[in-house]
Every structure is written in structure tokens, then in C-alpha cells.
Amino acid sequence: MIEEIVNLPIDIVIFNQLTDIKKTLSQGLPRIGGDILIDGTIGSRTAALSQPYADAPDEHGILYFDKKELEEFVVEAHSKGLQISVHAIGDAAIEQILTAYEKAQKEYYRENHRHRIEHFSLPAPSHIERSIKLGIIHSLQVSWCKPWVYTQDSLPTRLGVDRSDYAHPVGSIILNMGRICGGSDSPIVPVNPMAGIFGTVNHFRPEERLSRMAGLSFFTTQAAYSCFEENIKGRIAPGYNADIAILNSDFFETPSDELENIKVITTLVKGEVKYSIRD
């Protein structure tokens, strides 16, 4: 399988999306989990919450693993040296996976595991502190932070205004020295890093907004770090892959409310042109 990945015309890093640890190891893959669901989504009221949904007082969402089952998987995968990633949106799901990661670290301490949580959409304040202490990579879809997405995603309706104001705490994670890598959540939204950078700069909560350079790092240096590739990717520097995107507008001069409109006109992977608008 590793040979097949190398021969693909695009760069790809696989998190084997299953809980079969033996199979993952036999395939020579160092990562497991990917977007395995610990819970669902806020829009469908399946994200697991500690308190009921504002518009459905009898519903708390769904946890797809029981505590023992999840902890056994995480501890074993961790003990075998695998990098783990799972989907957790609601605070109850985040609590469950953080507890499992803490148990794994207590039983089999690893200095540099770089386990991830995909989404981390509605953490409690204590979850931010615990995840940073654990060295978790927060894999966030920062395009969901755009002001109009806040309304379209029905956050105030589903959660109530007060609770929805704690969603997607991008700035809080960074200000507390946490790590974020950016993603699109494709095919839910288009694969467009500029939308994520726009969401970082124009977060629906002004106190969570960050600079465009912070947003850029989520899709470059921090994305590389999240997959142990920081020595070959994420920078334009000697010894690094010549992975370069050429834009149709000056990234630093474009007004913040127009960042999402910047287009890629040419893409190079390892110095070879893979895409050009002229094509």
C-alpha cells in the first residue's frame, strides 16, 4: 500500500480509517483512525453534548463508542506507536477521547505522539487546557468560523446563543500555546485553504480572530507538523519539497474581507507543475 501511495499524482497522508490495529500495522501504515466518529454533528443533533440541545431538550446527541471500548482501542494503538486521530465535535465526545488519550499516556508515555482530534468544535474551557497539556493536534475546519456560516450552521438554534459562542475556539487554542492544523472537511465544503484563512481572520467571535499569517500556518507549517513532515514540507526553504501555490492576488495586501476570493493559478509539487489555470 505504501508503494501505491508514493505513486499517486497527488500528495496524500493516510490515517487508516478503522480500528483494526493489527491490519494497520501489517500494511505498514503509521497512522490510524482518521475521521472515525466518536459522535455526530451539531446540525443533525448527533454531536454528543453534556447538556441537551436548546431546540430539543430531550436530546444530547450520540456517542458511538462506549468508554471502555474507546479506551482499549486508543491505549493499544498508542502502545504500538501509531498516531491516532478521531472525529469529536461535542463536549461529551471531546471529554471521552481526551480521557482515553490521558489513560494511554499514563500507561505508555510517549514524548512525541502527535495524536489528533478532528473538529474539536465545542470543547469546554478545561478541554483546551487538557488537550494542550497532552500535546494534541487540533485539526480544525476554520472555514466554519466565517460569520455567515455561524447562522447557516444553526449554531444559535441548536445550542443557544451563549453556548454557541464557545464554538470553534481558534484564538483560544493558539493564545494558550496549542497547535492547530487546518482542513476543509471536504466534501462538506470545497477544498479551499483560502476559505479557512478567511475564517481565521474573520471569526464570528472577534476575540477568537487571528492574523492571516496564523491562518496560513495552519495549512503549511502546522499541517506538515501534524503529520511528522515538518522537515520536508510547509516551507519554501533549502532541503524542502518545492510545493508552491502561486496566487492571482497579493496575499499580504488583499483586504481581509476579500481573502476568500484569492485564486490559485499555478501549483507545483516537488518543483513540478501539477496545475495551471492556463490548462
Side-chain angles (χ1 to χ4, degrees):
M1 179 175 285
I2 295 296
E3 293 179 357
E4 294 172 355
I5 295 171
V6 170
N7 292 327
L8 286 172
I10 59 173
D11 253 349
I12 187 169
V13 173
I14 288 182
F15 281 81
N16 217 15
Q17 193 157 311
L18 39 73
T19 57
D20 191 329
I21 295 167
K22 289 183 179 179
K23 183 175 182 179
T24 299
L25 292 170
S26 71
Q27 293 173 324
L29 295 170
R31 304 175 180 91
I32 194 168
D35 203 38
I36 282 182
L37 301 179
I38 304 302
D39 66 343
T41 67
I42 293 171
S44 63
R45 297 196 202 94
T46 52
L49 307 180
S50 59
Q51 300 298 319
Y53 281 87
D55 60 347
D58 294 328
E59 296 185 26
H60 286 75
I62 302 172
L63 286 170
Y64 295 117
F65 289 81
D66 64 38
K67 182 176 186 291
K68 181 180 178 181
E69 179 186 16
L70 181 63
E71 288 182 358
E72 287 178 349
F73 161 65
V74 168
V75 169
E76 183 181 358
H78 176 84
S79 72
K80 300 297 184 183
L82 293 171
Q83 184 186 11
I84 307 166
S85 184
V86 298
H87 159 127
I89 285 181
D91 62 333
I94 293 170
E95 173 66 30
Q96 192 180 56
I97 186 58
L98 283 179
T99 300
Y101 281 149
E102 287 167 341
K103 181 178 176 65
Q105 271 292 75
K106 183 176 181 180
E107 295 186 12
Y108 300 95
Y109 181 77
R110 284 169 55 190
E111 183 68 32
N112 195 24
H113 54 76
R114 302 192 197 181
H115 297 324
R116 296 167 44 148
I117 297 177
E118 306 298 319
H119 308 306
F120 200 76
S121 301
L122 196 66
S126 63
H127 292 156
I128 297 175
E129 180 181 352
R130 286 166 60 192
S131 64
I132 293 171
K133 182 178 179 180
L134 275 168
I136 298 301
I137 305 291
H138 307 83
S139 178
L140 306 186
Q141 290 63 50
V142 278
S143 60
W144 289 105
C145 300
K146 296 183 290 187
W148 55 86
V149 173
Y150 172 81
T151 303
Q152 291 173 359
D153 200 34
S154 302
L155 287 180
T157 301
R158 291 284 185 267
L159 304 174
V161 173
D162 290 344
R163 188 166 40 168
S164 60
D165 277 348
Y166 287 96
H168 310 297
V170 179
S172 296
I173 293 170
I174 295 300
L175 291 175
N176 285 282
M177 306 303 291
R179 287 189 179 272
I180 292 174
C181 68
S184 68
D185 205 21
S186 173
I188 306 303
V189 295
V191 179
N192 179 11
M194 295 311 303
I197 296 170
F198 178 95
T200 302
V201 174
N202 299 285
H203 196 291
F204 58 81
R205 291 182 63 208
E207 59 268 38
E208 295 291 345
R209 292 173 183 170
L210 296 169
S211 70
R212 67 187 66 200
M213 285 302 294
L216 179 63
S217 76
F218 298 161
F219 294 92
T220 53
T221 54
Q222 296 303 312
Y225 181 90
S226 74
C227 294
F228 292 90
E229 295 186 324
E230 70 270 22
N231 293 322
I232 59 170
K233 294 180 181 178
R235 302 177 186 275
I236 301 175
Y240 282 72
N241 293 351
D243 298 336
I244 299 170
I246 301 174
L247 310 177
N248 71 342
S249 180
D250 189 323
F251 177 78
F252 300 101
E253 297 297 330
T254 299
S256 61
D257 61 352
E258 296 180 15
L259 283 169
E260 191 174 18
N261 298 324
I262 294 178
K263 305 297 183 184
V264 174
I265 57 176
T266 303
T267 303
L268 291 85
V269 178
K270 296 181 180 178
E272 182 179 346
V273 175
K274 294 292 185 177
Y275 165 80
S276 173
I277 197 169
R278 295 175 182 177
D279 296 335

